[in-house]
Amino acid sequence: MRKASPVRYVSEVAKHARPVLMLLGGVDLRVPPTNGLRYAAALREAGGSCEVRVFPTDSHGLTNPRTEFESFVTVAGFLRRNVMN
């Protein structure tokens, strides 16, 4: 399981100096949000850039209508800041 863990490859991601955006469901039972937060912390510690947005009432698929809207806005802002510049 550790071999497949994204945290194992965090230094490889950080060295490419590409920003990462993570959208997490606060009540996700498949991948608990603590896993994503742990990854974000490890990436930052390795010198990478990571933005995290947690949707407290949504689960793995981020399917609540309000979450869908807010996630689109979040992604658009992230792309504007990191791709358009």
Side-chain angles (χ1 to χ4, degrees):
M1 194 66 157
R2 288 180 190 253
K3 190 174 183 176
S5 172
V7 172
R8 182 177 177 176
Y9 304 100
V10 89
S11 60
E12 193 67 25
V13 174
K15 90 174 180 186
H16 290 289
R18 301 287 191 270
V20 173
L21 172 64
M22 300 182 70
L23 305 176
L24 308 173
V27 292
D28 189 341
L29 299 178
R30 189 175 303 158
V31 181
T34 53
N35 290 10
L37 296 172
R38 208 172 299 133
Y39 180 85
L43 183 57
R44 289 181 189 124
E45 188 175 309
S49 171
C50 187
E51 293 181 34
V52 178
R53 175 87 192 266
V54 179
F55 297 96
T57 61
D58 216 332
S59 60
H60 191 74
L62 301 177
T63 57
N64 290 341
R66 182 169 180 89
T67 299
E68 285 185 356
F69 174 77
E70 290 180 16
S71 65
F72 291 142
V73 171
T74 300
V75 169
F78 176 82
L79 293 173
R80 191 177 320 107
R81 286 187 302 280
N82 295 288
V83 176
M84 305 293 285
N85 293 329

